[in-house]
């Protein structure tokens, strides 16, 4: 591993993103805009926004980071950029960590902006610490980033990458507990939810926003979430090949 190569890779990715204003808008503006929309949707339901707004501060960055990261990484694979990098004497982990660092920084900025709008402009109130919610939102963005990097290896076109949204992300949104408490689901669905990483990310956010603190189980949820981030990055490095098919 070489920190210089990792930083150089991250700088190149960030430079490419800077030249794409539509992607920047999707990453930095859309999550905050969606949260604002939710605020006004529940404008006549006192307390509703405070109840679901905290978890959504983390879920929206998760979704957009997964989408953008998977498509961007796939584009790097299909255009030959990644293959050219792999012909150089670089470690796979250096390359993937470079991408992870770049998208991690973007995800952090995204979560900070979304949180700033939620707590500063939309007057979101949560039972726990605002700083902890923001940190968990950053963790959710990193989770979406790492999973996007990993699943990009299983798509051949950008359309296929988009198909991972209904196939991979939507089931996690439905089963994480956002719409129905998991203990109120059918037994089989509750069992499946324990195998989905977003379940643990959502649980941690929900505990802070409703109970006021993480507690022992919330801390375990955080550890599982970051464990999945590291595992997804490691598996993503394993999918890199010196030659594409």
């Amino acid at each position: 591993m070489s920190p210089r190569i990792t930083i150089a890779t991250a700088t190149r990715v960030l430079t490419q993103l800077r030249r794409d204003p539509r992607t920047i808008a999707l990453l930095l503006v859309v999550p905050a805009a969606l949260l604002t929309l939710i605020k006004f949707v529940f404008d006549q339901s006192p307390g509703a926004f405070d109840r679901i707004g905290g978890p959504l501060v983390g879920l929206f960055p998760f979704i957009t980071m997964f989408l953008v990261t998977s498509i961007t990484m796939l584009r790097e694979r299909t255009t030959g950029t990644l293959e050219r990098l792999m012909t150089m004497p670089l470690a796979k982990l250096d390359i993937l960590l470079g991408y992870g660092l770049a998208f991690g920084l973007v995800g952090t900025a995204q979560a900070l902006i979304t949180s700033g709008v939620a707590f500063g402009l939309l007057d979101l109130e949560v039972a726990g610490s605002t700083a902890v919610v923001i940190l968990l939102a950053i963790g959710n963005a990193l989770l979406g980033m790492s999973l996007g990097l990993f699943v990009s290896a299983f798509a051949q076109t950008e359309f296929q990458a988009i198909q991972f949204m209904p196939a991979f992300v939507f089931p996690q949104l439905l089963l994480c507990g956002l719409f129905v408490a998991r203990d109120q689901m059918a037994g089989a669905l509750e069992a499946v939810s324990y195998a989905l990483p977003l379940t643990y990310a959502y649980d941690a956010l929900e505990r802070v926003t409703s109970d006021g603190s993480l507690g022992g189980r919330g801390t375990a949820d955080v550890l599982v979430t970051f464990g999945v981030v590291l595992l997804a990055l490691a598996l993503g490095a394993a999918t890199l090949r010196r030659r594409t098919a």
Side-chain angles (χ1 to χ4, degrees), residues 7-159:
I7 294 173
T9 302
T11 301
R12 182 184 64 81
V13 174
L14 291 173
T15 301
Q16 289 180 327
L17 287 175
R18 184 170 57 85
R19 296 170 181 169
D20 189 348
R22 288 175 295 185
T23 299
I24 292 176
L26 175 62
L27 288 169
L28 302 183
V29 178
V30 169
L34 290 174
L35 203 61
T36 302
L37 178 62
I38 294 293
K39 165 71 173 180
F40 288 104
V41 165
F42 291 101
D43 191 49
Q44 301 302 317
S45 302
F49 179 68
D50 290 335
R51 186 173 63 256
I52 67 172
L56 290 180
V57 166
L59 292 181
F60 284 149
F62 169 85
I63 295 170
T64 54
M65 285 304 299
F66 176 89
L67 179 62
V68 171
T69 304
S70 60
I71 292 176
T72 302
M73 192 63 175
L74 174 65
R75 191 176 300 165
E76 296 280 86
R77 294 175 187 267
T78 57
T79 58
T81 300
L82 194 58
E83 184 176 1
R84 289 192 294 272
L85 287 174
M86 293 297 294
T87 62
M88 304 172 70
L90 308 177
K92 292 180 180 181
L93 195 57
D94 281 328
I95 296 174
L96 200 70
L97 285 180
Y99 283 96
L101 176 61
F103 287 115
L105 291 173
V106 173
T108 299
Q110 180 192 65
L112 289 173
I113 292 173
T114 305
S115 302
V117 170
F119 292 107
L121 299 180
L122 303 180
D123 297 323
L124 176 65
E125 295 182 0
V126 296
S129 168
T130 299
V132 174
V133 174
I134 294 174
L135 290 175
L136 292 175
I138 294 173
N140 275 253
L142 295 178
L143 178 63
M145 174 273 296
S146 62
L147 293 176
L149 287 175
F150 171 60
V151 303
S152 67
F154 302 98
Q156 298 297 320
T157 65
E158 292 184 14
F159 178 69

